Amino acid sequence: MANPRKAVVVGISGCSSSGKTSISRLLRDIFPNTFVLHEDDFYLPETELPKKYDLLDWDCAESLSIPDMLKSLKHIHAEGTFPPFLDSKEDQNTVGDIPVSQTTIDELKARVKTWTSFGNQGFGILENSPNAIRLCIFDGFLLYSKSMAPIQSQIDVKLFLRVSYAKAKARREARSGYVTLEGFWEDPPGYVDKIVWPNYVEDHKWMFESGDVEGALREDVVKETGIKSQVDGVDRDMETTLRWAVHTLMDQLPLLAKAEQ
């Protein structure tokens, strides 16, 4: 191949407060040669955001610069580096306490280290080779909706975290707010019920049986899109989700590397 990719992009998507950012940061620490790209860094200025019920709507595709997102993903594939033209604010936002034990994190780090060692499937993919690539974890609340079709070919592995309305609402309302381009945003009362959850349902119901976003994913959608999600329902604990994500990447990365040869 004349111009082999220099990075693999792993999308981690799901409703706001489904655990995406926590899992993304943990994967960055567990896998070598890895960095995180946040979809939240592509918000338009507040003055350009759409409104719904006279509230700023941060939870829709129209609030994002999709061309800038596409430009960044293409840069990552071609250069294997974080886009130098992107000023990230997202790492200034806290995710609260992460309910994963250090013992589990250390165990998974050791497992990945073994996986990347000589004679194992992961050897030479992310390190220990002149052709090693970087791993970009792309964390975003809106990656697989039909409105985001322009960027989806740039996502090599698609992970989807599921959460119930009750848990998403409790987690979102427990947050103090978010650092933005202009300063700081704090959800007004009722924001989850008016904006966050209805938008999530509208953008993702096509993926689910009978449009029930707390139910089962449609098999034809999973097969066509390659989206991977845990099979045992919503609200899986963070430790179980992290193990699933690590094992999924250990399975998928060698397949991608082989396809590039």
Side-chain angles (χ1 to χ4, degrees):
M1 181 174 292
N3 295 296
R5 78 180 87 197
K6 294 184 179 179
V8 165
V9 175
V10 176
I12 298 187
S13 196
C15 184
S16 172
S17 302
S18 59
K20 304 178 300 298
T21 302
S22 296
I23 292 294
S24 296
R25 292 177 181 176
L26 287 167
L27 291 174
R28 176 190 61 193
D29 296 339
I30 289 169
F31 283 88
N33 214 13
T34 299
F35 63 94
V36 178
L37 180 73
H38 300 282
E39 188 177 39
D40 286 5
D41 282 324
F42 296 95
Y43 276 120
L44 297 171
E46 284 189 32
T47 54
E48 299 178 27
L49 294 180
K51 285 190 173 183
K52 182 186 290 187
Y53 306 117
D54 204 32
L55 296 169
L56 290 178
D57 186 351
W58 295 89
D59 287 68
C60 62
E62 292 76 18
S63 69
L64 299 163
S65 175
I66 296 176
D68 286 341
M69 207 179 301
L70 182 59
K71 177 183 176 182
S72 293
L73 291 168
K74 287 183 175 180
H75 169 88
I76 289 167
H77 273 136
E79 304 297 333
T81 62
F82 189 87
F85 45 81
L86 182 64
D87 181 18
S88 179
K89 301 286 192 300
E90 179 57 27
D91 276 341
Q92 298 177 42
N93 285 316
T94 62
V95 294
D97 294 333
I98 298 176
V100 178
S101 69
Q102 190 60 47
T103 299
T104 295
I105 295 170
D106 291 343
E107 174 201 325
L108 292 172
K109 284 182 178 180
R111 189 167 298 180
V112 169
K113 186 173 181 60
T114 298
W115 175 77
T116 61
S117 63
F118 182 75
N120 291 301
Q121 273 195 317
F123 179 73
I125 297 177
L126 299 175
E127 57 183 2
N128 301 318
S129 167
N131 298 317
I133 58 175
R134 299 199 71 189
L135 184 61
C136 170
I137 308 297
F138 186 20
D139 155 32
F141 73 98
L142 195 63
L143 299 183
Y144 309 142
S145 75
K146 294 183 178 180
S147 58
M148 301 303 290
I151 69 161
Q152 286 163 3
S153 65
Q154 300 294 317
I155 303 175
D156 304 302
V157 180
K158 301 181 177 74
L159 306 184
F160 185 67
L161 308 186
R162 299 173 56 202
V163 66
S164 66
Y165 160 77
K167 181 156 284 190
K169 179 179 172 71
R171 287 177 175 171
R172 176 87 180 216
E173 293 182 346
R175 291 183 175 178
S176 59
Y178 302 85
V179 175
T180 68
L181 288 171
E182 287 81 6
F184 194 77
W185 163 267
E186 187 173 355
D187 288 346
Y191 196 77
V192 171
D193 290 314
K194 292 178 180 178
I195 304 291
V196 177
W197 188 257
N199 285 12
Y200 170 68
V201 172
E202 183 62 29
D203 283 316
H204 295 88
K205 62 185 180 181
W206 68 278
M207 297 167 53
F208 290 85
E209 297 287 351
S210 304
D212 177 9
V213 298
E214 295 184 314
L217 287 166
R218 289 170 45 188
E219 290 186 8
D220 59 324
V221 169
V222 171
K223 183 176 181 180
E224 180 181 348
T225 63
I227 292 171
K228 302 184 185 306
S229 185
Q230 292 167 285
V231 297
D232 297 328
V234 298
D235 297 341
R236 302 303 304 276
D237 66 89
M238 192 70 71
E239 197 155 303
T240 300
T241 300
L242 178 61
R243 289 182 181 278
W244 165 78
V246 169
H247 294 156
T248 300
L249 294 186
M250 289 169 64
D251 287 340
Q252 292 298 306
L253 291 176
L255 297 177
L256 288 169
K258 185 175 181 180
E260 285 288 298
Q261 294 174 354

